[in-house]
Amino acid sequence: MDVTTPAAANAPWLIVGLGNPGPEYAMNRHNVGFMVADLLAGRIGGKFKRAGKAQAQVVEGRLGAPGPASRRVILAKPMSYMNLSGGPVNALRDFYKVPVANIVAVHDELDIDYGVLRIKLGGGDNGHNGLKSMTKAMGADYHRVRFGIGRPPGRMQVADFVLKDFSSAERKELDYLVDRAADAVEALVTEGLERAQSSYNS
């Protein structure tokens, strides 16, 4: 469903930060989606709480300037571990009656240099287990805000790389980059895909 149709335009948006629950994963590269979701929760003045029967934490509020341009959003962090994210997201989609085209997954992306953003609608999962699980649960026609983390150095395995914390050099820019990714999510929701892409796809 195109986001310009009345059904999608009037429906809430479900913004899903992908990551793994637990303090041991908090600063992992794989958890940058959680970081962006936490920042957005602060912007709308909410705190994450358990979402009924869904295995997720949520915050409800509005993004954008007050008035007709603002959008009702549900921020979500699946608590199921990355490779099972689709179940909780699908349960939230059903509960809040969100069209798939109004779902945004915020996630780490290996094939983009560190800190570079890409916003897109639909596509493959590129081996990302969170996206793979979401696509299996509800199809691929949701938005993605892809946060570049780059490829592992040398012969390091991908699984080891994504489950390591950002390096000390990367952390110097991390707060700024997470803030910019949150801006990109907000632009996508309030201004639409093309304008967000023109502003943030670099």
PDB file of all heavy atoms in Angstrom, residues 6-23:
ATOM      1  N   PRO A   6      -5.250   7.235   1.397  1.00  0.00           N
ATOM      2  CA  PRO A   6      -5.870   7.692   2.641  1.00  0.00           C
ATOM      3  C   PRO A   6      -5.695   6.705   3.794  1.00  0.00           C
ATOM      4  O   PRO A   6      -5.440   7.117   4.931  1.00  0.00           O
ATOM      5  CB  PRO A   6      -7.344   7.855   2.255  1.00  0.00           C
ATOM      6  CG  PRO A   6      -7.326   8.114   0.781  1.00  0.00           C
ATOM      7  CD  PRO A   6      -6.180   7.314   0.264  1.00  0.00           C
ATOM      8  N   ALA A   7      -5.822   5.413   3.522  1.00  0.00           N
ATOM      9  CA  ALA A   7      -5.717   4.425   4.599  1.00  0.00           C
ATOM     10  C   ALA A   7      -4.357   4.496   5.280  1.00  0.00           C
ATOM     11  O   ALA A   7      -4.237   4.479   6.498  1.00  0.00           O
ATOM     12  CB  ALA A   7      -5.977   3.023   4.062  1.00  0.00           C
ATOM     13  N   ALA A   8      -3.297   4.598   4.463  1.00  0.00           N
ATOM     14  CA  ALA A   8      -1.960   4.664   5.039  1.00  0.00           C
ATOM     15  C   ALA A   8      -1.684   6.029   5.654  1.00  0.00           C
ATOM     16  O   ALA A   8      -1.024   6.140   6.681  1.00  0.00           O
ATOM     17  CB  ALA A   8      -0.917   4.339   3.971  1.00  0.00           C
ATOM     18  N   ALA A   9      -2.192   7.089   5.013  1.00  0.00           N
ATOM     19  CA  ALA A   9      -1.940   8.437   5.513  1.00  0.00           C
ATOM     20  C   ALA A   9      -2.542   8.650   6.897  1.00  0.00           C
ATOM     21  O   ALA A   9      -1.989   9.364   7.724  1.00  0.00           O
ATOM     22  CB  ALA A   9      -2.485   9.465   4.528  1.00  0.00           C
ATOM     23  N   ASN A  10      -3.679   8.042   7.163  1.00  0.00           N
ATOM     24  CA  ASN A  10      -4.357   8.230   8.447  1.00  0.00           C
ATOM     25  C   ASN A  10      -3.944   7.199   9.493  1.00  0.00           C
ATOM     26  O   ASN A  10      -4.286   7.350  10.665  1.00  0.00           O
ATOM     27  CB  ASN A  10      -5.876   8.155   8.247  1.00  0.00           C
ATOM     28  CG  ASN A  10      -6.380   9.309   7.394  1.00  0.00           C
ATOM     29  OD1 ASN A  10      -5.841  10.406   7.463  1.00  0.00           O
ATOM     30  ND2 ASN A  10      -7.391   9.059   6.580  1.00  0.00           N
ATOM     31  N   ALA A  11      -3.258   6.171   9.079  1.00  0.00           N
ATOM     32  CA  ALA A  11      -2.854   5.110  10.004  1.00  0.00           C
ATOM     33  C   ALA A  11      -1.598   5.527  10.760  1.00  0.00           C
ATOM     34  O   ALA A  11      -0.832   6.381  10.301  1.00  0.00           O
ATOM     35  CB  ALA A  11      -2.591   3.816   9.237  1.00  0.00           C
ATOM     36  N   PRO A  12      -1.356   4.945  11.923  1.00  0.00           N
ATOM     37  CA  PRO A  12      -0.102   5.230  12.634  1.00  0.00           C
ATOM     38  C   PRO A  12       1.085   4.603  11.913  1.00  0.00           C
ATOM     39  O   PRO A  12       0.927   3.753  11.030  1.00  0.00           O
ATOM     40  CB  PRO A  12      -0.322   4.582  13.998  1.00  0.00           C
ATOM     41  CG  PRO A  12      -1.286   3.478  13.741  1.00  0.00           C
ATOM     42  CD  PRO A  12      -2.191   3.973  12.642  1.00  0.00           C
ATOM     43  N   TRP A  13       2.264   5.036  12.301  1.00  0.00           N
ATOM     44  CA  TRP A  13       3.506   4.441  11.833  1.00  0.00           C
ATOM     45  C   TRP A  13       4.095   3.589  12.951  1.00  0.00           C
ATOM     46  O   TRP A  13       4.034   3.966  14.118  1.00  0.00           O
ATOM     47  CB  TRP A  13       4.513   5.530  11.449  1.00  0.00           C
ATOM     48  CG  TRP A  13       4.216   6.191  10.141  1.00  0.00           C
ATOM     49  CD1 TRP A  13       3.254   7.132   9.889  1.00  0.00           C
ATOM     50  CD2 TRP A  13       4.904   5.980   8.909  1.00  0.00           C
ATOM     51  NE1 TRP A  13       3.296   7.508   8.575  1.00  0.00           N
ATOM     52  CE2 TRP A  13       4.303   6.822   7.937  1.00  0.00           C
ATOM     53  CE3 TRP A  13       5.972   5.170   8.520  1.00  0.00           C
ATOM     54  CZ2 TRP A  13       4.737   6.863   6.624  1.00  0.00           C
ATOM     55  CZ3 TRP A  13       6.396   5.214   7.204  1.00  0.00           C
ATOM     56  CH2 TRP A  13       5.783   6.049   6.267  1.00  0.00           C
ATOM     57  N   LEU A  14       4.660   2.467  12.564  1.00  0.00           N
ATOM     58  CA  LEU A  14       5.342   1.581  13.499  1.00  0.00           C
ATOM     59  C   LEU A  14       6.829   1.620  13.169  1.00  0.00           C
ATOM     60  O   LEU A  14       7.251   1.172  12.103  1.00  0.00           O
ATOM     61  CB  LEU A  14       4.794   0.156  13.374  1.00  0.00           C
ATOM     62  CG  LEU A  14       5.454  -0.938  14.219  1.00  0.00           C
ATOM     63  CD1 LEU A  14       5.385  -0.619  15.707  1.00  0.00           C
ATOM     64  CD2 LEU A  14       4.805  -2.303  13.931  1.00  0.00           C
ATOM     65  N   ILE A  15       7.610   2.202  14.070  1.00  0.00           N
ATOM     66  CA  ILE A  15       9.052   2.354  13.874  1.00  0.00           C
ATOM     67  C   ILE A  15       9.762   1.335  14.754  1.00  0.00           C
ATOM     68  O   ILE A  15       9.664   1.392  15.985  1.00  0.00           O
ATOM     69  CB  ILE A  15       9.503   3.779  14.219  1.00  0.00           C
ATOM     70  CG1 ILE A  15       8.774   4.793  13.320  1.00  0.00           C
ATOM     71  CG2 ILE A  15      11.018   3.917  14.074  1.00  0.00           C
ATOM     72  CD1 ILE A  15       8.862   6.223  13.812  1.00  0.00           C
ATOM     73  N   VAL A  16      10.442   0.408  14.118  1.00  0.00           N
ATOM     74  CA  VAL A  16      11.038  -0.726  14.820  1.00  0.00           C
ATOM     75  C   VAL A  16      12.555  -0.574  14.842  1.00  0.00           C
ATOM     76  O   VAL A  16      13.209  -0.592  13.797  1.00  0.00           O
ATOM     77  CB  VAL A  16      10.671  -2.051  14.121  1.00  0.00           C
ATOM     78  CG1 VAL A  16      11.267  -3.228  14.880  1.00  0.00           C
ATOM     79  CG2 VAL A  16       9.162  -2.195  13.978  1.00  0.00           C
ATOM     80  N   GLY A  17      13.112  -0.402  16.024  1.00  0.00           N
ATOM     81  CA  GLY A  17      14.553  -0.459  16.168  1.00  0.00           C
ATOM     82  C   GLY A  17      14.961  -1.903  16.396  1.00  0.00           C
ATOM     83  O   GLY A  17      14.460  -2.554  17.312  1.00  0.00           O
ATOM     84  N   LEU A  18      15.830  -2.411  15.545  1.00  0.00           N
ATOM     85  CA  LEU A  18      16.239  -3.810  15.662  1.00  0.00           C
ATOM     86  C   LEU A  18      17.488  -3.934  16.533  1.00  0.00           C
ATOM     87  O   LEU A  18      18.413  -3.125  16.445  1.00  0.00           O
ATOM     88  CB  LEU A  18      16.493  -4.409  14.280  1.00  0.00           C
ATOM     89  CG  LEU A  18      15.240  -4.596  13.418  1.00  0.00           C
ATOM     90  CD1 LEU A  18      15.619  -5.118  12.031  1.00  0.00           C
ATOM     91  CD2 LEU A  18      14.245  -5.547  14.086  1.00  0.00           C
ATOM     92  N   GLY A  19      17.505  -4.968  17.372  1.00  0.00           N
ATOM     93  CA  GLY A  19      18.640  -5.211  18.252  1.00  0.00           C
ATOM     94  C   GLY A  19      18.397  -6.445  19.094  1.00  0.00           C
ATOM     95  O   GLY A  19      17.442  -7.195  18.869  1.00  0.00           O
ATOM     96  N   ASN A  20      19.263  -6.652  20.057  1.00  0.00           N
ATOM     97  CA  ASN A  20      19.134  -7.753  21.009  1.00  0.00           C
ATOM     98  C   ASN A  20      18.928  -7.190  22.408  1.00  0.00           C
ATOM     99  O   ASN A  20      19.591  -6.224  22.787  1.00  0.00           O
ATOM    100  CB  ASN A  20      20.397  -8.630  20.993  1.00  0.00           C
ATOM    101  CG  ASN A  20      20.505  -9.472  19.739  1.00  0.00           C
ATOM    102  OD1 ASN A  20      19.584 -10.195  19.387  1.00  0.00           O
ATOM    103  ND2 ASN A  20      21.635  -9.374  19.052  1.00  0.00           N
ATOM    104  N   PRO A  21      18.016  -7.782  23.198  1.00  0.00           N
ATOM    105  CA  PRO A  21      17.787  -7.286  24.552  1.00  0.00           C
ATOM    106  C   PRO A  21      18.910  -7.690  25.499  1.00  0.00           C
ATOM    107  O   PRO A  21      19.567  -8.710  25.303  1.00  0.00           O
ATOM    108  CB  PRO A  21      16.464  -7.955  24.949  1.00  0.00           C
ATOM    109  CG  PRO A  21      16.460  -9.243  24.173  1.00  0.00           C
ATOM    110  CD  PRO A  21      17.146  -8.934  22.865  1.00  0.00           C
ATOM    111  N   GLY A  22      19.113  -6.878  26.525  1.00  0.00           N
ATOM    112  CA  GLY A  22      20.105  -7.218  27.543  1.00  0.00           C
ATOM    113  C   GLY A  22      21.277  -6.262  27.526  1.00  0.00           C
ATOM    114  O   GLY A  22      21.737  -5.835  26.458  1.00  0.00           O
ATOM    115  N   PRO A  23      21.805  -5.919  28.704  1.00  0.00           N
ATOM    116  CA  PRO A  23      22.889  -4.934  28.797  1.00  0.00           C
ATOM    117  C   PRO A  23      24.171  -5.361  28.094  1.00  0.00           C
ATOM    118  O   PRO A  23      24.945  -4.518  27.650  1.00  0.00           O
ATOM    119  CB  PRO A  23      23.105  -4.775  30.313  1.00  0.00           C
ATOM    120  CG  PRO A  23      22.500  -6.000  30.931  1.00  0.00           C
ATOM    121  CD  PRO A  23      21.364  -6.396  30.038  1.00  0.00           C
TER     122      PRO A  23
END
